């Protein structure tokens, strides 16, 4: 959950998001070093301390400014490709959930169970209880077992939506007539908030996503209770 005056990302709750945070810091440091080098060269030329024609027109400096960017691109591309492969890797998920975007709410179907599914609507401001977050709370949470590979199948009923939970490093477009998939593992218990990240209409900002990660025994109790009520 984000907090006031926060400068960085939300705390990572999945291994993929932890890798993204490391990659962000890695790339940010490269950008910082490039900026310092460019500013130094500009300042040196403006103050006339770097005007030697033998340096500015030498073959050596041309080699440097050709090879150095190539090395920098490799340093960025390799960890980036590694994270992309980690995000696409879906092997033996313990649970598969289908998320369906509507104008303007989400539906969830637990495909491993025959009759386990529900709609999740945003709780209106006047109905919130103390401690709940405005525009982020839903009347039904997507409950999942922690430390288990979860596969999410994402689609939409009407227009484009996007299922996004920043703390889990998940963002997948919901396209009508198409079934997209992604996966994640929650590394700790907690409640993680997200929102539709595609401008889907007038009430785009009123279809929150609430994921609750719980130990396996609590998930089994919750699923049994939901099946009894179905």
């Amino acid at each position: 959950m984000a907090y006031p005056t926060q400068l960085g990302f939300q705390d990572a709750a999945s291994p993929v998001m932890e890798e993204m945070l490391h990659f962000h810091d890695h790339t940010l440091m490269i950008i910082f070093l490039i900026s310092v080098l460019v500013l130094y060269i500009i300042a040196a030329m403006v103050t006339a301390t770097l005007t030697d024609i033998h340096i500015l027109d030498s073959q050596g400096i041309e080699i440097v400014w050709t090879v150095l960017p190539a090395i920098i691109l490799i340093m960025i591309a390799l960890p980036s490709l590694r994270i992309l492969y980690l995000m696409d890797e879906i092997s033996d998920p313990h649970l598969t959930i289908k998320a369906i975007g509507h104008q303007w709410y989400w539906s969830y179907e637990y495909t491993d169970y025959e009759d386990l599914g529900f709609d999740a609507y945003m709780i209106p401001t006047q109905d919130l209880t103390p401690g709940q977050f405005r525009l982020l709370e839903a009347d039904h949470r997507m409950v999942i077992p922690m430390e288990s590979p979860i596969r999410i199948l994402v689609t939409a009923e009407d227009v484009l939506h996007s299922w996004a939970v920043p703390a889990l490093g998940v963002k997948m477009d919901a396209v009508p007539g198409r079934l997209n998939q992604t996966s994640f593992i929650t590394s700790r218990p907690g409640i993680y908030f997200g929102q539709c990240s595609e401008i889907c209409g007038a009430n785009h900002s009123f279809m929150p996503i609430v994921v609750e990660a719980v130990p396996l025994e609590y998930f089994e109790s919750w699923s049994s209770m939901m099946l009894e009520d179905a």
Side-chain angles (χ1 to χ4, degrees):
M1 182 66 193
Y3 53 86
T5 71
Q6 179 176 337
L7 296 179
F9 292 96
Q10 297 182 25
D11 292 337
S14 70
V16 169
M17 189 58 189
E18 292 177 5
E19 293 288 340
M20 288 184 181
L21 293 180
H22 294 155
F23 176 68
H24 169 267
D25 297 340
H26 167 76
T27 308
L28 191 62
M29 183 56 64
I30 292 176
I31 294 172
F32 172 75
L33 294 175
I34 292 173
S35 301
V36 169
L37 177 61
V38 171
L39 288 174
Y40 168 76
I41 293 175
I42 293 174
M45 297 186 71
V46 168
T47 57
T49 58
L50 186 61
T51 57
D52 191 339
I53 195 66
H54 298 293
I55 295 177
L56 297 178
D57 287 346
S58 67
Q59 185 175 358
I61 198 169
E62 292 186 9
I63 294 174
V64 169
W65 71 43
T66 302
V67 174
L68 187 58
I71 295 174
I72 292 173
L73 289 176
I74 292 173
M75 292 175 62
I76 295 175
L78 291 181
S80 175
L81 291 173
R82 176 175 175 271
I83 295 175
L84 285 174
Y85 280 115
L86 287 175
M87 294 175 65
D88 283 339
E89 184 69 22
I90 303 177
S91 58
D92 191 25
H94 294 179
L95 183 67
T96 299
I97 304 173
K98 185 177 181 182
I100 307 170
H102 306 268
Q103 289 183 314
W104 286 272
Y105 64 95
W106 292 97
S107 296
Y108 298 100
E109 298 176 1
Y110 289 68
T111 60
D112 299 284
Y113 300 84
E114 185 175 353
D115 297 317
L116 182 49
F118 50 84
D119 298 330
Y121 292 88
M122 187 194 75
I123 299 178
T125 302
Q126 64 271 18
D127 296 335
L128 292 174
T129 59
Q132 290 186 321
F133 299 102
R134 177 177 172 270
L135 302 182
L136 290 177
E137 295 286 352
D139 58 355
H140 288 91
R141 294 171 175 173
M142 192 187 88
V143 181
I144 59 171
M146 57 175 286
E147 298 180 341
S148 297
I150 307 297
R151 174 170 56 189
I152 303 293
L153 304 176
V154 184
T155 188
E157 186 72 23
D158 34 48
V159 298
L160 292 176
H161 299 278
S162 184
W163 199 85
V165 182
L168 301 177
V170 177
K171 182 178 180 181
M172 181 58 64
D173 286 344
V175 183
R178 180 182 179 127
L179 202 61
N180 295 326
Q181 69 174 356
T182 186
S183 67
F184 62 87
I185 300 175
T186 52
S187 52
R188 53 187 170 84
I191 301 172
Y192 308 107
F193 297 93
Q195 289 178 304
C196 175
S197 297
E198 193 74 48
I199 300 178
C200 57
N203 292 332
H204 155 69
S205 57
F206 303 111
M207 48 185 304
I209 301 162
V210 186
V211 178
E212 183 174 0
V214 298
L216 180 59
E217 56 269 22
Y218 290 98
F219 173 77
E220 292 175 342
S221 300
W222 172 84
S223 59
S224 298
M225 180 187 65
M226 293 292 289
L227 288 170
E228 290 175 359
D229 295 340

